[in-house]
Amino acid sequence: ESRAFGQDATVAGFDWGSYLEKSGYLAAPLSCFRHAPLCAQWEDIYVGLKVEVLNTHTALPSKVYWIATVVRLAGYKALLRYEGFEDDDSCDLWCNLGTADVHPIGWCAVNSKLLVPPQEVHQKIKDWKSYLMERLVGAHTLPVDFHVKMADSMRCPFRQGVRLEVVDRSQVSRTRYAVVDTIIGGRLRLLYEDGGLGASGEVLSDFWCHMWSSLVHPVGWSERVGHTIKETDKNVNMSSHPAFRKVLQDSVPNQFKKLRTVYMGDTFFEEGMKLEAIDPLNLGNICVASVRKVLLDGYIMVGIDGVEIGDGSDWFCYHASSHAILPVGYCQNNNIILTLPPGYVQESFTWPKYLEEMGAVAAPRRLFNTDAVGHGFTAGMKIEAVDLMEPRLVCVATVRRCVGRLLLLHFDGWEPEFDQWVDCQSPEIYPVGWCEITGYQLQPPIGPE
Amino acid sequence: AADATGRKWEQKQVQIKTLEGEFSVTMWASDDKK
């Protein structure tokens, strides 16, 4: 699948450890990412922990290990210092704690591997047994089943050949039937059922998203809530593609993330109500918008004021609990520049005047999910984030701003016009080192920082 | 046992096998039963 990606950070020589050290930035802690593997267990991982790790400073022909201490954490990555080096950082190494060559103390003895000190300190300590006893007794190490738990937490309820409904990237107001092709770290490569194959069998139309994305739904969802769905063009034959060769299986609701329940009583969104919304086609902009249609189960269709084509094909479906719809005045209250409809200027635009002019009312503030959540992100933190406009790409990114539950993400090396607003609980953002543990390709920063 | 942050730990006897020989030490690992 590598041809489907852009650049490969490893091949390009990108290394998170030296990148963080050079920039002086912090990585967002793992506890910020509830959907990330081992998030719940990561509170047991901290500076001072002892591990057994591959010894890369030895002339021995066989693979040997040595004991090291975690001296710094950055997402899944840890800066380790071999025992015996004390305050000397010359042989410190960045390791991904989720990868195979980092183990709990005791692993080597159980697996008949030898612990051998690095050449630099081998002769420095005369009595290694006493030295290690002093350093290890009463210290903490990884749980024995650390890697088993890691594997368990990466299980996915989907498999190749599962059918679902997903937003149509060529017309965002409708959904389309798609089939799961590839799964990497819970990210699904979806092939539209009538996406078509090129002359050499290549897929002409696909979509990537996390299995917990709000853009994917079980088969039958569109009909149930009243969303438009494109019927599959039966003339397009995909049967030569591996994902379509098996008996396809329809997905069911319990394979998807359950959204917060909303009550659509007398006081719900109504057609014509005004709000502020993240532009689905320009995710760095929060725009003046309108409710265009109310669906069932708490979903609404929203249009961006002043730029609509007029046939509804650019409306976008949001759940009432979505972070991407905001009450009028949200931008002003949070010092964000609101993107106005053409013909309006920042100096003279006010919501009361606009509402009067349009003969519209603002959607009631209580309908929005703007509850503050203690997410733990702060500006300047580094993460791995999906470019939602090109969702197959997971990129090196920085949290530029935190406003309530919204994060403004900057893709390192790219112009600010590519920045994107995301929810702090978005499943499309990951801790540093996530790509390495899942085998997903990471896009390195473009050009010098 | 729980530490000041509320983390629960259990004591483990672990083996260390070096070129100089094998010995055991008592360490703490997170409590699997928590």
Side-chain angles (χ1 to χ4, degrees), chain A residues 317-390:
Chain A
C317 180
Y318 292 103
H319 191 257
S321 65
S322 168
H323 69 284
I325 52 170
L326 303 155
V328 302
Y330 188 87
C331 282
Q332 190 184 9
N333 294 339
N334 291 285
N335 199 24
I336 298 169
I337 295 172
L338 177 66
T339 302
L340 304 175
Y344 290 85
V345 290
Q346 298 292 338
E347 291 72 28
S348 57
F349 178 88
T350 68
W351 265 112
K353 234 167 54 183
Y354 184 72
L355 290 171
E356 194 184 341
E357 199 182 317
M358 293 292 143
V361 295
R365 186 167 291 268
R366 65 178 175 280
L367 297 178
F368 295 88
N369 178 17
T370 49
D371 302 347
V373 280
H375 52 61
F377 289 103
T378 56
M381 282 179 169
K382 297 287 180 188
I383 61 170
E384 297 180 0
V386 174
D387 172 359
L388 292 164
M389 297 312 293
E390 201 56 75

Side-chain angles (χ1 to χ4, degrees), chain A residues 77-97:
Chain A
K77 306 219 60 154
L79 184 63
L80 301 177
R81 182 164 305 163
Y82 289 119
E83 286 304 333
F85 279 83
E86 311 223 328
D87 295 329
D88 176 3
D89 63 3
S90 61
C91 289
D92 285 2
L93 69 160
W94 282 97
C95 274
N96 194 315
L97 292 180

Side-chain angles (χ1 to χ4, degrees), chain A residues 223-352:
Chain A
E223 192 183 357
R224 187 163 53 80
V225 305
H227 195 281
T228 307
I229 187 162
K230 177 185 186 289
E231 282 307 318
T232 298
D233 180 352
K234 302 286 183 200
N235 295 318
V236 179
N237 184 3
M238 300 285 283
S239 62
S240 64
H241 192 280
F244 292 83
R245 275 187 209 142
K246 305 173 181 174
V247 177
L248 300 181
Q249 186 186 41
D250 285 353
S251 53
V252 292
N254 66 14
Q255 288 173 290
F256 296 81
K257 188 166 175 67
K258 196 170 161 28
L259 292 175
R260 179 165 144 157
T261 307
V262 294
Y263 296 97
M264 299 173 62
D266 292 336
T267 55
F268 195 61
F269 290 98
E270 290 171 18
E271 208 175 299
M273 281 179 170
K274 299 289 179 190
L275 66 158
E276 297 178 4
I278 296 176
D279 181 348
L281 301 177
N282 194 343
L283 297 159
N285 290 348
I286 301 180
C287 306
V288 171
S290 304
V291 177
R292 291 299 176 206
K293 193 176 173 190
V294 179
L295 312 180
L296 295 178
D297 282 0
Y299 289 94
I300 55 174
M301 300 301 292
V302 171
I304 305 297
D305 279 24
V307 293
E308 289 178 64
I309 299 167
D311 60 0
S313 62
D314 50 2
W315 295 350
F316 199 73
C317 180
Y318 292 103
H319 191 257
S321 65
S322 168
H323 69 284
I325 52 170
L326 303 155
V328 302
Y330 188 87
C331 282
Q332 190 184 9
N333 294 339
N334 291 285
N335 199 24
I336 298 169
I337 295 172
L338 177 66
T339 302
L340 304 175
Y344 290 85
V345 290
Q346 298 292 338
E347 291 72 28
S348 57
F349 178 88
T350 68
W351 265 112

Side-chain angles (χ1 to χ4, degrees), chain A residues 173-192:
Chain A
S173 63
R174 67 184 183 188
T175 48
R176 199 164 161 186
Y177 293 104
V179 170
V180 176
D181 172 40
T182 310
I183 306 165
I184 308 176
R187 296 191 61 70
L188 312 175
R189 185 192 186 205
L190 305 172
L191 308 183
Y192 293 115

